[in-house]
Amino acid sequence: MEKIRNLSLKKTIFFYLLINLFSSFLLCAVLSRTVSYAQEQIWLRYVDEEALYHALNDAEGNYQITVPRPSREEMSPLDWQLSELCDFVETYGILLLSVCGSGAAVALFYRNKLKRPIEELKEASRLVARDELDFHLEYENRDEMGMLCLEFEKMRSQLAENNRILWRMVEEEKALRAAVAHDIRSPLSVLQGYQEMLLEFLPEGTLPPEKTREMLEECMHQVQRMKTFLNDMQKLNRLEERQIVRREVRTAELKQEIEKEAYMMERQYGKTCRTGLQAERDVLWIDRELVLEVVENLLSNSFRYAKKQVTVEVISSGEYLEITVADDGCGFQESAETVTRPFYHANPQDDLKHSGMGMYLCRVFCERHGGRLLVGNGPEGGAKVRALFGLW
């Protein structure tokens, strides 16, 4: 039954028509014999019984007695109409049964193979047109209609994913506009304040040289802050243009590169870093520069917030390269979606030193490389970030 249900549409319609042909043939044979017998019974009413009896006695086994057809004048009107009806059924019965059987075969084919998937596709199309993508199209048959429903479900899933990405982009755009307004307004306000003080007190000569120099240095600091911000904005614009360039990289060499980067940060921050490797693949097919840039950003964050130690684990197995960076700090206080937004700062004091683009760039680079960024806290506290890169 399962095989018949999963037959292709062409094989199924052929199977139904074959069953119809065989059934029509049997019914026609039975109907013909039945109609002939009924017609003979009608004719027997108008045959001389004594003559028929002698004919049956005189006939041998190789002969068949044929009942003669009475004339219309001999039969009653009802028997004549019944006899004519038998002739009609015997003559056109095969045609009528074939037509009815073909109609039944087509009706069964439509009900069993087309009706349900067409109704589901129609309802799914209506929901998609209304932008309601929170549904699943399920059709278990593995025929052409099943494949069509499967492709439609893939399209729905992709549309839902595109909507989710678009919605996230809209939210990020809102956050980006708010961050731009904040990061531009703050240094401009500081510059404006110092400029007003200089214009007010410098002509009168009441401002000490040391204070004037301090104010000018702070103005230069704010100018540098705006330049850094503009560079980050340019980096955002270049994200979409960056292409993934995969090359063969040995896992051991990648670990050495990470250890070199960690060593430099150990000297800078005065904290220790422990690196581990679990390699089922000796050679990786990755964008080396992109992976190292993600690792550099993650290490920078971990060293800034760690108390004493940072841990890096490199795992190459299955379809992903996984690099986990953990620290013994206070961990993340916000959700993963929040900390991976552009220009996010956990500490307001970071506004003066960091642009808040690191985690956002890590997330984007991981997704561009066929993976994802998983942000959370370790079981004993401290931040724990897993960067996954697709190896296909």
Side-chain angles (χ1 to χ4, degrees):
M1 188 63 182
E2 183 73 17
K3 292 183 178 180
I4 295 177
R5 191 180 66 182
N6 293 320
L7 284 176
S8 66
L9 298 182
K10 182 171 65 176
K11 291 181 179 179
T12 302
I13 190 74
F14 178 78
F15 176 75
Y16 280 17
L17 291 176
L18 185 64
I19 295 297
N20 162 65
L21 183 63
F22 180 73
S23 302
S24 298
F25 175 78
L26 289 180
L27 288 175
C28 286
V30 172
L31 183 62
S32 179
R33 293 291 300 273
T34 303
V35 168
S36 297
Y37 176 78
Q39 192 176 45
E40 286 184 355
Q41 294 301 313
I42 294 174
W43 292 350
L44 283 174
R45 300 174 186 173
Y46 303 95
V47 174
D48 187 357
E49 295 182 1
E50 184 176 353
L52 180 61
Y53 176 76
H54 289 296
L56 289 173
N57 289 333
D58 294 340
E60 297 180 0
N62 294 331
Y63 290 91
Q64 181 178 2
I65 301 300
T66 302
V67 178
R69 182 187 186 102
S71 63
R72 181 175 181 178
E73 290 76 11
E74 294 176 333
M75 291 188 293
S76 66
L78 178 60
D79 288 342
W80 179 81
Q81 291 178 359
L82 291 175
S83 179
E84 292 295 316
L85 179 61
C86 290
D87 288 337
F88 177 82
V89 172
E90 190 172 4
T91 304
Y92 298 102
I94 187 170
L95 177 61
L96 294 174
L97 287 176
S98 298
V99 171
C100 294
S102 298
V106 171
L108 287 174
F109 174 78
Y110 175 78
R111 189 193 69 179
N112 296 336
K113 301 292 287 187
L114 299 179
K115 182 179 180 180
R116 180 185 168 191
I118 288 176
E119 290 178 350
E120 291 194 4
L121 287 172
K122 183 178 178 180
E123 177 65 17
S125 300
R126 186 182 64 83
L127 292 174
V128 170
R130 292 166 51 183
D131 203 23
E132 298 178 8
L133 302 176
D134 190 18
F135 68 93
H136 292 280
L137 187 62
E138 297 181 357
Y139 183 68
E140 62 277 5
N141 290 5
R142 295 189 296 272
D143 53 15
E144 290 88 342
M145 297 303 295
M147 295 300 296
L148 181 60
C149 291
L150 180 61
E151 293 300 321
F152 195 99
E153 171 63 19
K154 291 181 180 179
M155 182 191 72
R156 181 212 61 81
S157 178
Q158 188 61 48
L159 284 175
E161 178 66 16
N162 291 343
N163 280 2
R164 186 186 67 82
I165 294 174
L166 182 61
W167 179 256
R168 189 177 67 184
M169 290 175 60
V170 170
E171 292 297 318
E172 290 178 355
E173 185 70 21
K174 293 180 181 179
L176 182 60
R177 288 198 299 268
V180 169
H182 175 270
D183 284 23
I184 290 293
R185 186 187 301 111
S186 296
L188 286 178
S189 298
V190 174
L191 287 173
Q192 182 180 0
Y194 284 136
Q195 291 297 323
E196 290 175 353
M197 291 179 65
L198 290 173
L199 288 173
E200 181 179 354
F201 297 107
L202 193 59
E204 300 176 358
T206 57
L207 197 64
E210 296 80 7
K211 186 63 177 179
T212 303
R213 181 179 179 84
E214 180 183 344
M215 293 171 66
L216 291 175
E217 288 178 351
E218 183 61 27
C219 288
M220 289 300 298
H221 176 73
Q222 297 299 327
V223 170
Q224 184 61 39
R225 179 180 171 187
M226 284 195 294
K227 288 177 64 178
T228 303
F229 176 77
L230 293 176
N231 290 334
D232 290 332
M233 293 297 297
Q234 291 178 346
K235 186 182 293 186
L236 273 178
N237 293 332
R238 292 195 298 267
L239 277 180
E240 296 299 327
E241 301 175 0
R242 177 161 184 175
Q243 300 295 323
I244 303 298
V245 182
R246 295 177 182 267
R247 295 186 177 91
E248 287 188 358
V249 178
R250 299 191 65 83
T251 309
E253 295 177 357
L254 178 65
K255 179 175 179 290
Q256 291 177 358
E257 293 285 344
I258 296 175
E259 288 176 341
K260 291 179 182 179
E261 188 67 35
Y263 175 73
M264 297 298 295
M265 293 190 181
E266 282 179 331
R267 298 183 59 183
Q268 178 181 354
Y269 290 93
K271 302 170 185 177
T272 61
C273 180
R274 180 172 57 84
T275 306
L277 174 65
Q278 299 179 27
E280 295 182 8
R281 292 172 176 260
D282 294 331
V283 178
L284 305 174
W285 187 250
I286 58 174
D287 187 326
R288 174 179 170 276
E289 300 301 326
L290 183 145
V291 171
L292 290 178
E293 186 170 349
V294 171
V295 173
E296 179 185 355
N297 285 325
L298 295 180
L299 284 174
S300 177
N301 283 338
S302 291
F303 271 100
R304 280 196 291 122
Y305 292 102
K307 295 178 181 178
K308 295 181 179 179
Q309 182 172 313
V310 175
T311 303
V312 180
E313 191 74 25
V314 181
I315 303 174
S316 60
S317 61
E319 298 180 349
Y320 294 97
L321 164 67
E322 179 181 335
I323 300 178
T324 302
V325 180
D327 60 62
D328 58 354
C330 60
F332 293 107
Q333 306 301 318
E334 304 287 348
S335 64
E337 183 179 358
T338 300
V339 300
T340 55
R341 289 176 179 172
F343 304 107
Y344 168 77
H345 300 282
N347 186 351
Q349 297 298 324
D350 288 344
D351 290 354
L352 304 177
K353 299 179 181 179
H354 306 283
S355 62
M357 290 288 294
M359 295 296 290
Y360 175 73
L361 292 176
C362 290
R363 193 198 77 192
V364 173
F365 285 155
C366 288
E367 292 175 354
R368 292 287 300 279
H369 206 288
R372 58 189 183 278
L373 187 71
L374 304 178
V375 178
N377 294 322
E380 299 179 358
K384 182 177 182 181
V385 182
R386 297 167 56 202
L388 277 69
F389 304 91
L391 299 178
W392 59 91

